[in-house]
């Protein structure tokens, strides 16, 4: 009898989640459509003056992506909880935090990365200056994994609930505040010609910390919710 | 088992705690009320007018103690949540969850008094000042903990989950504070402070400290009272609760 | 009644002593004493709501007992020691409907490892689902899903099976199959704890039984070891 190695368990989780997302690939576009619609609401609400839109462009793109990510978070553990495979993850002989880390990584790759890819386009809709685009993408690359990791802990806390959407937002959004401030702040600083490296470095530091701590917290939270 | 853990277990047992808290609660409320009245007299009547802000500054005697309490209650909640999660002590779970609404109330008062003060000073009810923004996030953190606690059916599981969230929040608080300050400098926000650094008249100090003491004592009275109710609710099926209920019933007849 | 035997039973694969679980301070089952040895199948009987599923979740380490202790081969139980030795089949089968039976089992093999000489395909054949490996689980019947879940248990490299209502949804052949699997597992030195609300039972041999009654009737019976 051999229990199999941890790396093969992680590989199995990644492979299964990727296959599942491929089978439901129609859903993959939803976050992008959502972000696009939120972006489109702003010129409709504020008027089409390029000057005004340019000023708020980076912040609006950031918020739209943050909200799209928040909506996508719900799918992280929901089906696994409902069909009982989350239980199997908890009972597996491998460190739960690692397996959850793999799940979060796949989730980020399939929901956040496409959003980041279209972010410059979304910025273009709001007349974001060309030279800020790079900073926006860089800030998003650092901020969205943080959002996914922090979000995963909160999803783990609400995993057993029906209709947890609003509650999840209530739990997650206050924790998102610093990430939003530094991410959008870096873009705004770049736009006004101020130094923007410091907030990006802060994000990077926070990301390193979260990469280590969030999976552990996520596992602990999940154990609480499943008990 | 050493003396300390023995004492801890004895005091932590629901019937004992219920009895001790029952004795303490009226004292806490009484002392809090007296100190509060003295502090308010000192602040609203005895303290001199501020040469810049006139009488409007007097709101600090409510605003500042409440702001301190908002933070203190969060630390108190998180410390109890930590104890509850590590040692699975039922009493700590209830203490943590009892302090959440009280802390939220203090934070809410801080926000209201802050904006009341802002109207004559800044000419607007709300300004995105760093401190007010941090307080707002603090209020959201409280609401998240309370919302999670209310949403889970199993009371002990709910307390553990909400306590865990409170611990995440306590890690997040300094980061929020730091980020909001940075954000404020980036956007050149208002620099008017409700209390400036160390330019405060000594006649204003003692009412402020008295008020701070009053809110602390009141907070503990309120936490103990809520915890007593929480203990009764959680142990509803136990003998000691039944005895109390029977005694209560006999007293009313 | 708790602690009826004082020294830990070294030979027992799984042993519960004074085991009880309460939710919201309402007792669900116990206190309960039992021992499960290698080569043994124990049937947990009880009405709906008697706490059978909860007992299995406690024994699998998903829930912490309110009081009492669980010993695994004579040692106090921790999740780290337990998880490589136990396979749980619960009401939710843990299968992904979008994936084929084979893909589901391949995932399980990665997660839990696999028993020597058993592959996902041979496990499927072992539960009578030869040729179903390419069918998405969505298209299988409830009984067939149960069989796939049983194949997962069959494949797990563990000594201890905890099966919650393994007979539910199964036809006559399926019930025979479960009994055959249990027999072979016991014969190979494994042990199993299975629940049933009494409609079907493990028929081959005479399994030991643990009867869980509703606690209000105040008659909890530990199996005689």
């Amino acid at each position: 009898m051999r229990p199999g190695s941890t790396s093969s368990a992680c590989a199995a989780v990644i492979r299964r989640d990727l296959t599942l997302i491929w089978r439901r690939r129609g859903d993959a576009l939803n976050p992008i459509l959502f972000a696009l619609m939120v972006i489109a609401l702003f010129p409709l609400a504020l008027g089409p003056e390029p000057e005004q839109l340019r000023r708020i462009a980076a912040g609006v793109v950031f918020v739209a992506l943050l909200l799209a990510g928040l909506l996508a978070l719900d799918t992280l553990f929901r089906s696994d909880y409902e069909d009982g495979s989350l239980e199997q993850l908890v009972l597996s002989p491998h460190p739960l935090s690692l397996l959850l880390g793999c799940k979060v990584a796949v989730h980020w790759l399939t929901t956040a990365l496409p959003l980041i890819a279209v972010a410059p386009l979304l910025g273009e809709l709001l007349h974001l200056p060309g030279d800020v685009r790079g900073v926006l993408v860089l800030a998003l690359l650092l901020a969205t994994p943080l959002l996914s990791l922090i979000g995963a802990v909160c999803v783990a806390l609400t995993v057993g609930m029906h209709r947890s959407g609003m509650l999840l937002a209530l739990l997650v959004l206050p924790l998102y505040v610093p990430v939003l401030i530094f991410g959008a702040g870096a873009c705004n600083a770049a736009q006004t010609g101020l130094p923007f490296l410091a907030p990006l470095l802060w994000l990077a530091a926070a990301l390193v910390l979260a990469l280590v701590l969030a999976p552990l917290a996520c596992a602990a939270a999940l154990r609480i919710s499943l008990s | 088992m050493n003396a300390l853990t023995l004492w801890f277990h004895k005091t932590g047992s629901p019937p004992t705690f219920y009895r001790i808290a029952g004795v303490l609660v009226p004292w806490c409320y009484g002392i809090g009320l007296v100190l509060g009245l003295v502090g308010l007299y000192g602040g609203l009547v005895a303290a001199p007018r501020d040469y810049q802000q006139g009488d409007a500054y007097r709101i600090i005697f409510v605003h500042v103690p409440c702001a301190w309490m908002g933070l203190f209650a969060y630390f108190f909640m998180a410390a109890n949540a930590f104890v509850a999660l590590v040692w699975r002590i039922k009493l700590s779970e209830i203490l943590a969850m009892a302090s959440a609404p009280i802390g939220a109330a203090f934070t809410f008062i801080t926000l209201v008094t802050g904006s009341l003060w802002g109207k004559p000073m800044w000419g607007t009810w709300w300004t995105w000042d760093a401190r007010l923004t941090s307080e707002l996030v603090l209020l959201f953190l409280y609401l998240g903990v309370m919302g999670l606690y209310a949403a889970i059916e199993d009371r002990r599981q709910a307390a553990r989950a909400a306590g865990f969230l409170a611990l995440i929040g306590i890690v997040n608080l300094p980061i929020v504070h730091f980020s909001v300050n940075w954000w404020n400098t980036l956007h050149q926000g208002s620099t008017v402070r409700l209390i400036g650094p160390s330019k405060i008249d000594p006649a204003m100090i003692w009412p402020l400290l008295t008020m701070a003491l009053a809110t602390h004592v009141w907070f503990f009275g309120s936490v103990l009272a809520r915890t007593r109710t929480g203990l009764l609710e959680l142990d509803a099926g136990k003998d000691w609760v039944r005895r109390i209920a029977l005694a209560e019933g006999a007293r009313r007849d | 009644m708790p602690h009826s035997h004082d020294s830990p039973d070294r030979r027992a694969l799984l042993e519960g002593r004074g085991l009880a679980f309460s939710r919201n301070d309402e007792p669900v089952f116990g206190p309960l004493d039992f021992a499960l040895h290698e080569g043994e199948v124990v049937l947990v009987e009880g009405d709906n709501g008697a706490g059978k599923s909860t007992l299995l979740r406690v024994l699998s380490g998903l829930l912490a007992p309110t009081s009492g202790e669980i010993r695994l081969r004579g040692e106090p139980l921790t999740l780290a020691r337990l998880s490589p030795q136990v396979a749980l089949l619960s009401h939710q089968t843990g299968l992904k409907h979008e994936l084929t039976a084979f893909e589901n089992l391949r995932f399980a093999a990665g997660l839990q490892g696999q028993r020597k000489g058993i592959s996902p395909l041979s496990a499927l054949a072992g539960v009578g689902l030869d040729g179903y490996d390419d069918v998405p689980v969505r298209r299988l019947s409830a009984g067939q899903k149960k069989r796939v879940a049983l194949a997962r248990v069959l494949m797990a490299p563990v000594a201890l099976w905890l099966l919650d209502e393994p007979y539910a949804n199964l036809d006559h052949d399926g019930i025979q199959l479960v009994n055959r699997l249990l027999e072979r597992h016991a014969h190979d030195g494994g042990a199993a704890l299975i629940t049933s609300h009494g409609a079907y039972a493990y028929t081959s041999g005479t399994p030991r039984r643990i009867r869980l009654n509703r606690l209000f009737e105040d008659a909890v019976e530990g199996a005689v070891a």
Side-chain angles (χ1 to χ4, degrees):
Chain A
M1 297 191 190
R2 56 192 174 91
S5 70
T6 301
S7 58
S8 68
C10 289
V13 169
I14 292 173
R15 184 176 188 179
R16 184 197 66 160
D17 279 14
L18 283 175
T19 318
L20 279 172
I21 285 158
W22 180 247
R23 299 267 153 90
R24 301 173 192 153
R25 55 189 172 276
D27 298 350
L29 270 181
N30 289 349
I32 294 179
L33 287 177
F34 174 82
L36 184 65
M37 283 173 193
V38 170
I39 298 280
L41 293 180
F42 277 84
L44 295 177
L46 297 174
E49 293 83 14
E51 266 320 300
Q52 190 178 12
L53 292 177
R54 185 170 301 141
R55 235 166 4 90
I56 59 167
V60 169
V61 171
F62 232 95
V63 172
L65 262 58
L66 183 147
L67 292 179
L70 177 67
L71 287 183
L73 265 185
D74 189 53
T75 58
L76 183 53
F77 297 133
R78 174 156 308 284
S79 72
D80 280 354
Y81 174 75
E82 281 165 0
D83 63 26
S85 44
L86 204 52
E87 223 168 69
Q88 299 298 334
L89 279 191
V90 176
L91 287 180
S92 95
H94 309 289
L96 180 60
S97 52
L98 270 181
L99 302 177
L100 295 178
C102 292
K103 280 193 71 72
V104 176
V106 172
H107 193 260
W108 178 81
L109 275 173
T110 51
T111 57
L113 208 53
L115 281 170
I116 297 175
V118 297
L121 256 135
L122 298 176
E124 200 58 43
L125 287 176
L126 298 176
H127 308 285
L128 184 77
D131 46 342
V132 185
R133 243 178 273 156
V135 181
L136 176 68
V137 170
L138 197 59
L140 283 171
L141 277 173
L142 290 170
T144 48
L146 258 175
L147 299 180
S148 293
L149 286 165
I150 298 169
V153 180
C154 294
V155 179
L157 282 175
T158 58
V159 78
M161 291 174 209
H162 305 286
R163 295 190 294 278
S164 58
M166 278 312 283
L167 181 67
L168 183 62
L170 187 64
L171 304 194
V172 163
L173 290 179
L175 302 177
Y176 276 3
V177 165
V179 183
L180 176 71
I181 286 178
F182 285 129
C187 303
N188 292 332
Q191 201 164 343
T192 45
L194 293 167
F196 56 84
L197 199 58
L200 289 181
L201 291 177
W202 281 116
L203 279 180
L207 178 57
V208 172
L209 206 65
L211 275 173
V212 179
L213 293 182
L216 293 171
C218 193
L222 204 58
R223 289 225 163 85
I224 292 175
S225 326
L226 288 183
S227 70
Chain B
M1 204 182 278
N2 64 39
L4 186 68
T5 33
L6 194 68
W7 176 84
F8 207 71
H9 271 267
K10 209 163 146 52
T11 325
S13 91
T16 317
F17 185 88
Y18 183 85
R19 202 162 33 77
I20 297 175
V23 176
L24 287 178
V25 167
W27 282 98
C28 286
Y29 279 152
I31 295 173
L33 197 67
V34 171
L35 282 176
L37 287 175
V38 172
L40 280 181
Y41 173 80
L44 300 185
V45 182
R49 276 170 63 97
D50 188 270
Y51 77 99
Q52 258 184 334
Q53 307 181 11
D55 278 329
Y57 90 95
R58 290 185 196 275
I59 205 162
I60 67 161
F61 296 110
V62 178
H63 175 83
V64 173
C66 284
W68 287 342
M69 284 317 293
L71 267 183
F72 177 81
Y74 203 94
F75 281 108
F76 182 81
M77 172 173 75
N80 273 294
F82 182 79
V83 172
L85 283 171
V86 175
W87 290 286
R88 288 183 165 253
I89 294 176
K90 198 197 293 188
L91 178 64
S92 304
E93 289 170 8
I94 302 177
L95 277 170
M97 289 306 116
S99 46
I102 310 170
F106 275 121
T107 311
F108 183 70
I109 296 173
T110 310
L111 283 170
V112 171
T113 49
S115 71
L116 281 179
W117 179 81
K119 185 63 183 168
M121 286 303 120
W122 297 324
T124 164
W125 293 110
W126 182 263
T127 176
W128 289 97
D129 151 81
R131 284 165 188 239
L132 280 181
T133 311
S134 290
E135 285 290 326
L136 189 64
V137 176
L138 180 64
L139 181 63
F140 289 155
L141 286 173
Y142 272 122
L143 293 179
V145 171
M146 288 158 63
L148 187 61
Y149 182 58
I152 300 176
E153 202 173 325
D154 184 309
R155 295 329 285 155
R156 298 206 58 185
Q157 188 194 354
R160 280 205 300 278
F164 193 80
L165 185 69
L167 285 180
I168 299 171
I170 204 98
V171 177
N172 204 43
L173 265 184
I175 305 176
V176 169
H177 183 75
F178 170 67
S179 67
V180 168
N181 276 341
W182 179 82
W183 163 80
N184 209 40
T185 55
L186 181 71
H187 293 277
Q188 298 293 316
S190 164
T191 47
V192 187
R193 289 257 187 93
L194 196 39
I195 46 167
S198 71
K199 59 170 183 188
I200 197 165
D201 191 298
M204 301 174 185
I205 295 262
W206 74 262
L208 196 60
L209 293 182
T210 313
M211 282 303 287
L213 200 60
T215 45
H216 273 79
V217 179
W218 186 274
F219 167 78
F220 280 112
S222 188
V223 164
L224 291 179
R226 294 187 73 93
T227 305
R228 288 183 62 174
T229 324
L231 280 174
L232 288 184
E233 206 180 322
L234 201 62
D235 273 359
K238 296 269 171 72
D239 281 342
W240 70 272
V241 176
R242 202 163 293 154
R243 275 199 301 277
I244 287 169
L246 286 176
E248 190 79 0
R251 208 167 50 82
R252 291 220 180 130
D253 285 339
Chain C
M1 193 184 70
H3 304 285
S4 53
H5 30 227
D6 292 310
S7 63
D9 191 344
R10 287 269 157 210
R11 296 157 302 131
L13 181 58
L14 190 71
E15 192 188 359
R17 293 212 261 158
L19 200 61
F21 185 81
S22 321
R23 193 174 276 284
N24 276 338
D25 271 328
E26 279 175 26
V28 178
F29 69 77
L32 187 68
D33 289 297
F34 72 92
L36 180 64
H37 298 86
E38 285 176 356
E40 223 177 11
V41 177
V42 169
L43 179 69
V44 182
E45 288 177 312
D47 302 330
N48 295 335
K52 302 184 297 291
S53 304
T54 312
L55 172 65
L56 253 56
R57 294 174 72 81
V58 168
L59 292 178
S60 68
L62 281 173
L63 296 176
T66 311
S67 62
E69 62 171 342
I70 308 170
R71 284 173 175 266
L72 193 68
R73 297 187 201 277
E75 302 283 329
L77 178 131
T78 58
L79 198 58
R81 289 191 57 243
L82 177 71
S83 49
Q85 309 209 38
V86 69
L88 173 74
L89 173 72
S90 56
H91 281 290
Q92 292 119 340
T93 48
L95 302 173
K96 288 285 174 201
H97 288 191
E98 290 89 341
L99 301 183
T100 65
F102 174 74
E103 284 168 330
N104 268 301
L105 289 180
R106 188 180 55 188
F107 167 68
L111 195 62
Q112 65 189 16
Q114 65 194 70
R115 194 181 282 267
K116 220 179 189 166
I118 296 192
S119 67
L121 279 179
S122 69
L124 271 179
V127 295
L129 286 180
D130 233 343
Y132 280 89
D133 51 298
D134 254 356
V135 182
V137 167
R138 176 171 13 98
R139 289 213 218 114
L140 297 180
S141 72
Q144 287 170 322
K145 281 175 194 152
K146 192 82 173 198
R147 286 176 187 236
V148 180
L150 281 167
R152 174 175 63 70
V153 174
L154 190 60
M155 202 172 57
V158 298
L160 179 61
W161 288 0
L162 301 173
L163 311 183
D164 197 4
E165 300 285 357
Y167 301 109
N169 290 330
L170 288 181
D171 54 15
H172 185 70
D173 282 353
I175 293 167
Q176 297 297 327
L177 169 80
V178 173
N179 287 340
R180 265 204 316 281
L181 293 178
L182 284 171
E183 226 168 294
R184 190 165 354 124
H185 184 59
H187 184 259
D188 293 346
L193 202 72
I194 62 177
T195 68
S196 171
H197 53 270
Y200 317 98
Y202 176 66
T203 45
S204 36
T206 44
R208 286 200 302 109
R209 287 155 193 261
I210 298 176
R211 173 99 200 138
L212 282 182
N213 289 325
R214 294 206 194 170
L215 283 164
F216 314 108
E217 293 159 24
D218 200 29
V220 179
E221 184 80 36
V224 195

